[in-house]
Amino acid sequence: MIFIGERINTGFKDIKAAVANKDADVLKSWAVKQTKAGATYLDVNLGAVSNKPEDLCWMIEQVQAASDLPISIDTNKPSMLKEAVPLCKKPPLINSTTAVDEKMEDMFPIVAEAGASIIGLVMDEEGSPKSADKRVENAGKLLAKAMEFGINPEQLFLDPIVMPLKYMQEQAQEILAAANQFKLFSDPPPHIVCGLSNISNGTTQKKLINRTFAVMLVANGLDAVICDVTDEDLVDALLTAELVMNKQIYADSYIEAFRS
Amino acid sequence: MIFIGERINTGFKDIKAAVANKDADVLKSWAVKQTKAGATYLDVNLGAVSNKPEDLCWMIEQVQAASDLPISIDTNKPSMLKEAVPLCKKPPLINSTTAVDEKMEDMFPIVAEAGASIIGLVMDEEGSPKSADKRVENAGKLLAKAMEFGINPEQLFLDPIVMPLKYMQEQAQEILAAANQFKLFSDPPPHIVCGLSNISNGTTQKKLINRTFAVMLVANGLDAVICDVTDEDLVDALLTAELVMNKQIYADSYIEAFRS
C-alpha cells in the first residue's frame, strides 16, 4: 500500500498558521510524525492561502529538511509546479490533473520531464461523473493521453473520485465498480488511489467509515491512499486487506514489521 | 446483514460442560447475550459431544426458552434433524449440506417440508474446492437441486468455504471472486454466508483479520455471517459495509439504532 500522508495541508488550522508565520517546526513535526507512521509520500498543499510559488517551495523545503520521503505536490497549477518540481530531491507525485485535454496537455509534459508520477482525477469538462462507466471512460482518456507523453501506467495514479456517503450514498458502489475496472486497463496496471476522507464527510463515524470503505476499495484494486497515516486502525485495516489480496506474505508480526 | 450467532457450540468449553451437566443457564445466558447483540439466528451445535438427538433437542429447547430468535441447527445428520426441526418455533436455518447429490437428496426434503432455510457448502465428493470456478460450479449444483425440491433461492445460503489466511493465503481471493459470482445466479439471489472465524485460524490478529475479510466479502455480496455477534467492532464494520453497499439508508445514529 502506498500511503500518502495528507496532513501538511493549509486546510488544517495549524498548518495554515505555520505557513502564515513561516513557522517551520510545525511542518517538520508533521513530516516526522507521518514518516514514522509509515507514509510513502508526504502531501504538501498550500491551498488558497497564497498563490505565490515561493510559499509552496518553502513548505517543500521544510518537509524535505525533516524527512527523506518523496513529496506529493498538491497543486494543479503548472506555474506552481515549474518552481516546485525542480526542488524535489526525489521524483514527486503531482496531485493532480483531470481528464480535460487542456489540463492534461499542461500537466503531462511536466510529469514526463521530471520522471514524476501524477494523480489523474476521472473528471472532465462536465465535472465529477456519477456512474462507474463515465469514471472508466475518463480513466481511459487519462491513461491514453499519459502514454502519448511517454508516461508509463505505473506513473499514473487513477482517482475514481470519492463522494460523501451521507449525501450521495449510491455513489460508493459506482466508485468500487470503477476501481475494479481500472486495474484491467494495462499490465502492469496504473495505480489506483483515492482521497479517502471524503467518504465520511458530515458523518458521526468518520474513522469507521473511512477504514471500511478503504478495505472495500482494496478488494477492488486500490493500492494507494491519501489519508491520515497516523490513524493506526486505518493503517492496520489496510495492511490486513493487502494480506487478504495476497499482496504481502502473511507473517504473525505483519503489523509490527510495518511499524518498525 | 443476517447475523448467525456462533457461540452455542460444544466447541466452546463452557457449552461442552453445560451440555454434559444439563446446565441450562449457560446456554440461556449465551442466547440472551447474542440476542441483545443483534443476532438474527442462534446457531446450536452439539458437535461430537453426543450423537443422541435428545441432547440436541434439549439444547434447542433451552435456547428457545430464553430467546425468540429462530435457530440455526448445526448438524448435517438427517436423523438429528428429524427430531430437532419439529421442535423449532420458527422456521430454522439448517447448517448444512454439501453439493454431493446423496447429501442434498437427504437434506432438501426436510428443508422443503419445514419451510426452513439451509446453508449449502460449495464442496463436493472431492472435498473443498481450491478455485473460484469450482466453488461456483458447486454453488450452481446446490441451487439447481434446491429448486427441484421446491426450495426458493432465498431459502438457500451459499457458503464459499473460508480457508485460513495463514496457511492458504491465495484462497482468500478465490473466495471473494466466488461470492461475487454467486449473487448473479438468480433474482432475487440466494443468500451468501460464511463461517467467518476460519479466515483467522492460527493468526495473531484474529478480530482484525475477521472484520477486514468480512467487509471485503460484503463488497462481493455477502449478506449473512456465522460469527461472534458480541464482537462489537465486527458488527460495526459490517453495518458500515452495508451502508457503503447502499443496503441500509445512512443515518447518523445507524449504529445506536442497531443496538437498541
Side-chain angles (χ1 to χ4, degrees), chain B residues 18-19 25 42 89 94 104 110 125 141 150 152 162-163 183 203 208 212 240 245-246:
Chain B
V19 171
D25 287 348
L42 297 177
K89 293 181 187 165
I94 293 171
M104 292 190 285
I110 302 171
E125 292 79 356
K141 276 188 205 168
N152 296 323
V162 172
M163 299 292 187
K183 66 177 197 276
T203 69
L208 173 61
T212 302
T240 306
M245 298 307 285
N246 209 11

Side-chain angles (χ1 to χ4, degrees), chain A residues 174-205:
Chain A
E174 301 294 327
I175 296 160
L176 292 170
N180 199 270
Q181 294 297 310
F182 293 174
K183 66 177 197 279
L184 306 176
F185 271 132
S186 60
D187 185 17
H191 294 286
I192 305 176
V193 69
C194 76
L196 183 60
S197 59
N198 282 353
I199 192 70
S200 63
N201 271 352
T203 68
T204 50
Q205 299 286 344

Side-chain angles (χ1 to χ4, degrees), chain A residues 165-166 169-170 172-173 176 199 202-205 208-209 211-213 215-216 218-220 233 236-238 240-256, chain B residues 165-166 169-170 172-173 176 199 202-205 208-209 211-213 215-216 218-220 233 236-238 240-256:
Chain A
L165 193 66
K166 179 166 180 169
Q169 198 176 337
E170 77 296 342
Q173 284 183 87
L176 292 170
I199 192 70
T203 68
T204 50
Q205 299 286 344
L208 173 61
I209 291 172
R211 68 178 174 264
T212 302
F213 187 58
V215 162
M216 290 170 128
V218 172
N220 284 279
D233 289 338
D236 291 354
L238 286 168
T240 305
E242 290 220 305
L243 287 184
V244 173
M245 298 307 285
N246 210 11
K247 289 188 173 177
Q248 296 289 332
I249 302 296
Y250 177 85
D252 282 342
S253 59
Y254 71 99
I255 290 175
E256 295 86 330
Chain B
L165 192 66
K166 178 166 181 170
Q169 198 177 336
E170 77 295 345
Q173 283 183 87
L176 292 170
I199 192 70
T203 69
T204 50
Q205 300 286 344
L208 173 61
I209 291 172
R211 68 177 175 265
T212 302
F213 187 58
V215 162
M216 292 170 128
V218 172
N220 285 278
D233 289 337
D236 290 354
L238 287 167
T240 306
E242 290 219 305
L243 287 185
V244 172
M245 298 307 285
N246 209 11
K247 290 187 174 178
Q248 295 288 332
I249 302 296
Y250 177 85
D252 283 343
S253 59
Y254 72 99
I255 289 175
E256 293 88 328

Side-chain angles (χ1 to χ4, degrees), chain A residues 117-118 142-144 146-147 150-158 182 185-192 223:
Chain A
S117 297
I118 186 162
L142 282 156
L143 183 61
M147 291 176 82
I151 297 167
N152 296 323
E154 306 99 295
Q155 290 170 270
L156 181 62
F157 288 61
L158 292 171
F182 293 174
F185 271 132
S186 60
D187 185 17
H191 294 286
I192 305 176
D223 69 344

Side-chain angles (χ1 to χ4, degrees), chain A:
Chain A
M1 182 66 42
I2 297 171
F3 290 100
I4 303 161
E6 70 181 6
R7 196 51 178 74
I8 302 172
N9 183 321
T10 56
F12 294 96
K13 282 182 193 165
D14 60 343
I15 303 294
K16 186 175 178 180
V19 171
N21 305 326
K22 292 285 184 292
D23 178 356
D25 287 348
V26 175
L27 275 71
K28 287 178 178 171
S29 142
W30 274 111
V32 170
K33 206 181 291 187
Q34 293 182 102
T35 302
K36 283 188 179 161
T40 319
Y41 286 93
L42 297 177
D43 194 74
V44 174
N45 187 329
L46 177 60
V49 160
S50 149
N51 55 16
K52 293 184 202 157
E54 56 264 37
D55 286 332
L56 179 60
C57 291
W58 177 83
M59 290 178 79
I60 291 171
E61 283 168 341
Q62 306 324 307
V63 171
Q64 290 190 137
S67 170
D68 288 332
L69 291 182
I71 304 294
S72 160
I73 310 178
D74 201 340
T75 177
N76 61 7
K77 293 188 188 131
S79 59
M80 288 280 194
L81 290 168
K82 272 167 197 160
E83 304 287 324
V85 170
L87 273 185
C88 292
K89 294 181 186 167
K90 293 182 176 167
L93 173 64
I94 294 170
N95 181 7
S96 57
T97 183
T98 64
V100 173
D101 277 330
E102 226 170 51
K103 185 47 101 178
M104 292 191 285
E105 283 159 15
D106 273 353
M107 301 292 272
F108 285 153
I110 302 172
V111 175
E113 197 193 327
S117 297
I118 186 162
I119 293 175
L121 304 173
V122 298
M123 46 195 299
D124 58 14
E125 292 79 356
E126 295 161 26
S128 291
K130 294 283 178 291
S131 69
D133 284 352
K134 187 73 185 167
R135 286 177 164 93
V136 173
E137 185 187 323
N138 286 339
K141 276 189 203 166
L142 282 156
L143 183 61
K145 183 68 87 175
M147 291 176 82
E148 277 179 32
F149 282 87
I151 297 167
N152 296 323
E154 306 99 295
Q155 290 170 270
L156 181 62
F157 288 61
L158 292 171
D159 183 332
I161 308 183
V162 173
M163 299 292 187
L165 193 66
K166 179 166 180 169
Y167 307 109
M168 305 175 82
Q169 198 176 337
E170 77 296 342
Q171 281 292 301
Q173 284 183 87
E174 301 294 327
I175 296 160
L176 292 170
N180 199 270
Q181 294 297 310
F182 293 174
K183 66 177 197 279
L184 306 176
F185 271 132
S186 60
D187 185 17
H191 294 286
I192 305 176
V193 69
C194 76
L196 183 60
S197 59
N198 282 353
I199 192 70
S200 63
N201 271 352
T203 68
T204 50
Q205 299 286 344
K206 289 197 167 65
K207 289 188 169 187
L208 173 61
I209 291 172
N210 287 346
R211 68 178 174 264
T212 302
F213 187 58
V215 162
M216 290 170 128
L217 274 169
V218 172
N220 284 279
L222 189 90
D223 69 344
V225 60
I226 307 169
C227 68
D228 175 4
V229 291
T230 68
D231 178 347
E232 292 198 354
D233 289 338
L234 170 64
V235 170
D236 291 354
L238 286 168
L239 296 175
T240 305
E242 290 220 305
L243 287 184
V244 173
M245 298 307 285
N246 210 11
K247 289 188 173 177
Q248 296 289 332
I249 302 296
Y250 177 85
D252 282 342
S253 59
Y254 71 99
I255 290 175
E256 295 86 330
F258 179 81
R259 293 262 146 72
S260 70

